[in-house]
Amino acid sequence: IRPENVRKLLLSFPQVMDYNLENHLKPIADYYISDVRFSATEFGSIVTRFPRLFSYSLFKIKHVTGFLRFELGLDATQVKRVIFQAPQIVGLNTEGNLQMKLDLLQTRLSLTRQELGLVLSKMPTLMNLGIDNNLLPKLEYLEKVANDTNHSGDVVKRMVLKQPTLLGYSLENRIRPRMEKILSAGLSADKVTVGISMVENKFQDWLASSQLRKQLKVDVQKNLHNASRSKMTYLEELLDMNETEVRTLLSTMPGLKYVRSNKMFERKVTYFNAELQNVT
C-alpha cells in the first residue's frame, strides 16, 4: 500500500490499529494473497477502498468466499472479480440479506444457478443494493414495460443477462428516462441494454440513427411488397390469369417472379398465343 493510501486508510478506519498484527491482520492479508490469489497491489486496492475488511474475522471472510465458490458455483476468476469489485460483500449474511437478494433475482428472472452466478460475476455491486428501495422497483418497472409493449415473458431476463449493469443504474434518473425515449422512438424495449450505458449526447445520436435505420427498413419492405404486387399484376395481364392462378403457377415456378427481365419468356407467351389463335 502506498504511503498516501495508508494515510487514507487510517483516516477512514483508525480502528484498524486496534487489531492484532500477527493473529488478525496478517492472516487476512495472507489468505487474500495466497488462497484467493490477489496480487499485493490488488489487495492494497481492496483495503484502501474498504478498510473495514479488517473488522471481519478470517472465518467470516472464508465463509463468504466459500459461499461464492461452492454455493453459487463461481469459478476462481469470478470469485476474484466479485470480491475485488464489491469487497463489502464479505459483510453480508449468506443466510440473510445476501441470500434474499440472490433469491429475488433468481425467482423473479427465472435464472438457473449458472445464470445467477454469471450476473453476479459481471455486476458484483448488485449485492450492495437494497431490495425494497432499489432492486425490486427496477425489476417491477422493467416487467411492466415488457407487459405493456407485448414482449415475451422472458425479455427482462434476457435484458439482465445481456447487460447486468442495467440494474445498477438509477431507476428515476436513468432507466425510466432512457426507456421512455427508446419507446417513443418506436424501438423495442430491449434496446435499453444498448442505450443505457451511453453518455447523453452519444445516446441521442444512437437514438436518431436507430430511428433512421428502422424507417429505412420499413421503406425497403414496403417497396418490396409493392414490387411483388407489381409483378403479380404483370403476370396476370401477360398470362390472362387471375391472382389465384398466378400464385399457383409461382409456387411451382418461382423463377417467374423475375420475368420482367426475361424477354424470351414474353416472346414464348406471344408465340403460344399466336399459335393457339391460328389453331382456333
Side-chain angles (χ1 to χ4, degrees):
I1 305 177
R2 292 180 297 184
E4 61 269 27
N5 288 335
V6 172
R7 178 177 177 274
K8 185 186 298 184
L9 186 154
L10 292 176
L11 287 174
S12 61
F13 188 58
Q15 295 89 337
V16 70
M17 302 303 291
D18 293 333
Y19 293 98
N20 185 281
L21 177 62
E22 299 297 331
N23 297 328
H24 187 79
L25 300 179
K26 287 183 67 175
I28 290 176
D30 289 342
Y31 174 72
Y32 272 87
I33 294 172
S34 299
D35 291 48
V36 188
R37 298 304 180 98
F38 283 112
S39 68
T41 301
E42 290 171 331
F43 180 68
S45 175
I46 290 173
V47 297
T48 299
R49 290 179 288 115
F50 185 58
R52 291 184 180 275
L53 171 69
F54 288 118
S55 67
Y56 298 100
S57 69
L58 182 58
F59 176 83
K60 167 69 171 173
I61 292 171
K62 287 183 175 181
H63 176 71
V64 173
T65 305
F67 177 85
L68 297 174
R69 186 74 176 88
F70 303 108
E71 292 297 322
L72 284 185
L74 304 186
D75 61 33
T77 301
Q78 290 174 322
V79 170
K80 280 186 63 177
R81 178 182 173 86
V82 170
I83 294 175
F84 186 79
Q85 292 195 8
Q88 301 90 337
I89 200 169
V90 301
L92 299 179
N93 185 346
T94 57
E95 296 179 357
N97 47 14
L98 176 58
Q99 188 63 59
M100 289 172 61
K101 294 170 186 179
L102 295 172
D103 287 345
L104 172 68
L105 292 174
Q106 187 167 26
T107 303
R108 204 81 185 208
L109 299 174
S110 299
L111 298 173
T112 65
R113 176 183 168 186
Q114 183 178 11
E115 289 169 336
L116 180 63
L118 184 64
V119 170
L120 180 58
S121 66
K122 288 186 175 181
M123 186 59 180
T125 53
L126 286 180
M127 294 302 96
N128 295 333
L129 304 179
I131 293 179
D132 294 334
N133 63 347
N134 202 313
L135 285 174
L136 186 57
K138 292 172 184 176
L139 291 171
E140 289 176 338
Y141 172 73
L142 293 173
E143 289 168 355
K144 183 178 185 304
V145 169
N147 290 332
D148 291 346
T149 54
N150 298 316
H151 279 77
S152 60
D154 66 342
V155 67
V156 179
K157 173 181 178 177
R158 287 187 281 110
M159 287 182 191
V160 173
L161 285 174
K162 182 177 181 179
Q163 187 67 283
T165 57
L166 174 64
L167 296 179
Y169 289 95
S170 166
L171 175 59
E172 298 303 328
N173 297 329
R174 191 63 165 245
I175 299 175
R176 192 190 303 274
R178 290 283 169 97
M179 181 66 83
E180 290 175 351
K181 291 177 182 178
I182 286 170
L183 295 178
S184 295
L187 303 179
S188 174
D190 58 3
K191 292 297 182 183
V192 72
T193 59
V194 180
I196 193 67
S197 62
M198 298 177 181
V199 296
E200 187 61 29
N201 63 326
K202 295 292 185 182
F203 173 71
Q204 294 297 341
D205 291 343
W206 168 79
L207 200 62
S209 63
S210 297
Q211 282 183 281
L212 180 59
R213 286 196 300 271
K214 182 179 180 181
Q215 186 58 50
L216 287 174
K217 184 177 180 180
V218 170
D219 291 343
V220 168
Q221 291 176 337
K222 183 177 179 180
N223 290 336
L224 288 174
H225 174 76
N226 292 338
S228 177
R229 180 62 256 175
S230 177
K231 290 174 184 176
M232 288 286 296
T233 303
Y234 169 74
L235 288 172
E236 289 170 14
E237 294 174 354
L238 179 65
L239 303 175
D240 192 24
M241 294 181 177
N242 59 39
E243 181 177 343
T244 301
E245 291 171 330
V246 170
R247 290 188 182 279
T248 301
L249 182 62
L250 289 176
S251 67
T252 57
M253 297 184 66
L256 293 183
K257 293 179 181 179
Y258 310 102
V259 296
R260 269 193 183 282
S261 59
N262 192 341
K263 297 298 182 182
M264 182 58 69
F265 180 84
E266 293 184 29
R267 289 176 59 189
K268 289 178 181 178
V269 172
T270 302
Y271 170 78
F272 284 127
N273 284 338
E275 287 299 314
L276 289 174
Q277 287 175 2
N278 291 334
V279 171
T280 56

